Amino acid sequence: MQIQTDDPERADVLALLEEHLRHMHALSPPESVHALDPKKLKTPDITFWTARDADGLLLGTGALRELDETHGEVKSMRTPDALRRRGAGRAMLVHIVEEARRRGYARLSLETGSQDGFAPARRLYASAGFVPCGPFGDYTDDPNSAFMTLALTTP
């Protein structure tokens, strides 16, 4: 599996991101959907990656947003519905955590859904050491959101 920076508007990536947005809107009310569209994933504060197999098949996406010089946010974690359980999500998360550490961030946070449909994502994040936290950045309390964070430096 190769993880590399990529263009969120590349055809196969665009299709996966559209699947991601449809899924988010199916599970959450519009005001609780915080998934970014492809254009927003191209802003200077975001690094966007894809995971691909040896033949170039898209296995997943992920992004890292810089909130400030010490705090990053995991964004756009998605694997295609038909290609789940191949380790792409975990590999992408490990990659993002490693990049956040390389950048010297003290903390890495994320927002995901609180509904049952998001339980596998919350389990993945918890298995990587993320713990529940309150809203961060521009987020506010939302019963449809679960906020998690990972301390990257020891106090």
Side-chain angles (χ1 to χ4, degrees):
M1 181 179 318
Q2 286 189 337
I3 296 176
Q4 58 189 22
T5 57
D6 209 337
D7 182 353
E9 293 184 306
R10 187 173 169 176
D12 61 344
V13 177
L14 191 57
L16 180 56
L17 293 174
E18 288 171 352
E19 175 186 295
H20 179 57
L21 285 168
R22 279 192 309 275
H23 187 242
M24 299 303 102
H25 283 281
L27 294 174
S28 302
E31 66 275 9
S32 296
V33 174
H34 303 289
L36 299 176
D37 67 43
K39 290 210 182 307
K40 290 182 182 170
L41 289 168
K42 294 177 95 169
T43 60
D45 60 329
I46 295 177
T47 305
F48 178 82
W49 294 277
T50 56
R52 294 180 181 275
D53 71 8
D55 295 323
L57 179 67
L58 179 62
L59 301 175
T61 64
L64 176 58
R65 171 187 267 169
E66 183 170 298
L67 298 174
D68 63 41
E69 61 188 30
T70 65
H71 193 181
E73 179 183 6
V74 177
K75 294 295 292 182
S76 299
M77 288 281 295
R78 182 69 181 190
T79 56
D81 288 338
L83 298 174
R84 299 256 164 104
R85 310 295 304 164
R86 294 185 183 201
R90 181 169 303 282
M92 182 63 73
L93 184 58
V94 166
H95 181 81
I96 292 170
V97 170
E98 288 173 354
E99 176 63 15
R101 282 193 169 108
R102 189 193 67 73
R103 292 180 185 186
Y105 294 163
R107 181 164 302 283
L108 185 60
S109 301
L110 62 91
E111 181 276 340
T112 190
S114 61
Q115 302 91 332
D116 290 345
F118 294 96
R122 292 192 306 271
R123 283 193 301 272
L124 171 65
Y125 299 133
S127 75
F130 284 81
V131 296
C133 67
F136 59 90
D138 293 332
Y139 293 105
T140 58
D141 277 324
D142 181 343
N144 297 297
S145 289
F147 301 99
M148 301 180 83
T149 194
L150 174 68
L152 298 174
T153 57
T154 53

